[in-house]
C-alpha cells in the first residue's frame, strides 16, 4: 500500500498570506488528522476528519481550517499567516473505525516557513 | 482539557545502558500509543495499549499501561545507537470532547557509542 503523501513538502510564505496544504491518506483509510510540530510545543493536534466531517478539533484559532473530500483526501488552510505559524505540519491517516487498532500513519510533513 | 505530560524531555545514555520514559495523563484514557520519530523523519507507530495494567514487549522494548489507565512507560533494555530518536506517547481520551489523541512532548534519546 502506498503511504500517506503530503504536498507540498516545503513552503515559504510571508506574514499575512494564506496557505493550503494537502494530504492523501492510505487507501481505505477514512480518518485524517492534522498536527503542528514545533521544537518547543511538540506535536499539537489541529483537527480530525472522518468521512468528510470534522470529528474533533484542537485549540487553534479560527485561522486554521480544514476539510475532507469524498475520496478521503484532506486539505488544511491557514489564513493571515503569522511568524509563529512556522512549523512542520503533519498529516496522519487511520482507519477511523471503532474497535480497530488506532494506529496513526504519518506522512512526511510540510515544512512551512513564514517570513 | 486533556493533558499528557512526558518525562524526561531529554536523555543521553551510553550504548548498553537502559532507558525509560514516562507518560502521565490528566484524564483516564481509552488507549495509549507510542511513537518513535527519528531525526528528520516523521513519527512511526510502535504499539498501542488498551487494557488496565497491560504490559507488552517488542524485543528490547517493554511498554506498560497503568492500572488507572492514566500513566504509561516505555523501557528500552541495553540501548543501541539505532534507538536514537524522540519517543512520544499519545493518549486517546475516553469520549466526547476528550476523544482526540493528545501527544506528550516527547523524550529525545541520544546514545553514545
Amino acid at each position: 500500500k502506498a503511504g500517506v503523501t503530503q504536498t507540498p513538502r516545503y513552503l515559504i510564505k510571508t506574514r499575512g498570506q494564506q496557505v493550503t496544504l494537502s494530504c492523501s491518506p492510505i487507501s481505505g483509510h477514512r480518518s485524517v488528522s492534522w498536527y503542528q510540530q514545533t521544537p518547543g510545543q511538540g506535536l499539537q493536534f489541529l483537527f480530525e476528519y472522518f468521512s468528510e466531517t470534522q470529528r474533533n478539533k484542537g485549540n487553534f484559532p479560527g485561522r486554521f481550517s480544514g476539510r475532507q473530500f469524498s475520496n478521503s483526501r484532506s486539505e488544511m488552510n491557514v489564513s493571515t499567516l503569522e511568524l509563529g505559524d512556522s512549523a512542520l505540519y503533519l498529516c496522519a491517516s487511520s482507519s477511523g473505525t471503532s474497535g480497530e487498532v488506532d494506529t496513526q500513519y504519518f506522512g512526511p510533513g510540510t515544512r512551512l516557513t513564514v517570513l | 482539557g486533556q493533558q499528557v505530560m512526558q518525562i524526561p524531555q531529554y536523555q543521553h545514555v551510553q550504548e548498553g545502558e537502559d532507558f525509560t520514559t514516562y507518560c502521565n495523563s490528566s484524564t483516564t484514557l481509552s488507549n495509549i500509543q507510542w511513537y518513535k520519530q527519528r531525526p528528520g523523519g516523521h513519527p512511526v507507530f510502535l504499539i498501542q495499549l488498551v487494557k488496565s495494567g497491560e504490559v507488552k514487549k517488542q524485543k528490547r522494548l517493554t511498554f506498560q499501561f497503568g492500572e488507572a489507565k492514566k500513566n504509561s512507560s516505555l523501557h528500552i533494555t541495553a540501548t543501541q545507537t539505532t534507538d536514537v530518536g524522540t519517543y512520544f506517547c499519545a493518549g486517546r481520551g475516553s469520549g466526547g470532547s476528550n476523544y482526540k489523541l493528545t501527544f506528550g512532548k516527547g523524550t529525545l534519546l541520544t546514545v553514545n557509542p
Side-chain angles (χ1 to χ4, degrees):
Chain A
K1 267 185 183 176
V4 178
T5 58
Q6 291 186 246
T7 56
R9 292 292 311 279
Y10 302 92
L11 208 46
I12 299 176
K13 292 284 187 179
T14 56
R15 278 183 299 173
Q17 287 188 309
Q18 75 162 20
V19 67
T20 299
L21 312 181
S22 181
C23 171
S24 291
I26 290 171
S27 178
H29 282 186
R30 295 162 66 189
S31 169
V32 173
S33 298
W34 288 89
Y35 296 87
Q36 182 194 66
Q37 186 172 32
T38 56
Q41 297 300 318
L43 272 161
Q44 291 192 286
F45 173 75
L46 282 153
F47 24 67
E48 178 192 6
Y49 286 87
F50 179 80
S51 294
E52 302 179 66
T53 302
Q54 189 180 83
R55 188 153 75 169
N56 275 297
K57 188 177 187 308
N59 299 321
F60 278 80
R63 300 185 297 107
F64 292 81
S65 63
R67 59 178 175 167
Q68 187 179 33
F69 302 95
S70 58
N71 61 358
S72 293
R73 190 177 71 84
S74 177
E75 288 181 349
M76 67 163 280
N77 184 277
V78 188
S79 62
T80 319
L81 284 166
E82 300 177 359
L83 295 178
D85 296 333
S86 294
L88 179 67
Y89 290 87
L90 291 160
C91 155
S93 82
S94 67
S95 68
T97 305
S98 173
E100 292 189 3
V101 176
D102 201 7
T103 306
Q104 303 288 300
Y105 294 88
F106 283 85
T110 294
R111 174 74 61 186
L112 172 65
T113 302
V114 182
L115 303 176
Chain B
Q2 180 180 300
Q3 293 185 20
V4 174
M5 308 298 291
Q6 191 173 353
I7 56 169
Q9 195 174 355
Y10 307 97
Q11 184 79 60
H12 178 74
V13 300
Q14 289 292 126
E15 190 171 22
E17 291 182 337
D18 292 356
F19 159 76
T20 305
T21 173
Y22 302 90
C23 197
N24 281 286
S25 169
S26 58
T27 60
T28 302
L29 301 170
S30 61
N31 72 59
I32 194 151
Q33 304 166 32
W34 287 90
Y35 292 79
K36 176 183 179 181
Q37 185 174 21
R38 288 202 159 97
H42 56 271
V44 174
F45 176 81
L46 293 175
I47 208 159
Q48 174 174 298
L49 304 171
V50 178
K51 299 176 185 173
S52 168
E54 190 169 14
V55 178
K56 286 190 177 180
K57 294 192 176 188
Q58 287 180 351
K59 297 182 182 178
R60 295 178 294 104
L61 278 59
T62 302
F63 304 84
Q64 294 188 336
F65 200 10
E67 294 290 339
K69 299 184 74 173
K70 294 179 73 172
N71 61 288
S72 181
S73 64
L74 156 61
H75 179 82
I76 302 178
T77 304
T79 55
Q80 300 174 357
T81 54
T82 52
D83 295 326
V84 164
T86 301
Y87 292 85
F88 293 96
C89 63
R92 176 73 77 181
S94 297
S97 61
N98 280 335
Y99 190 68
K100 56 182 179 257
L101 193 64
T102 303
F103 279 76
K105 290 193 177 181
T107 297
L108 173 60
L109 172 65
T110 55
V111 179
N112 202 30

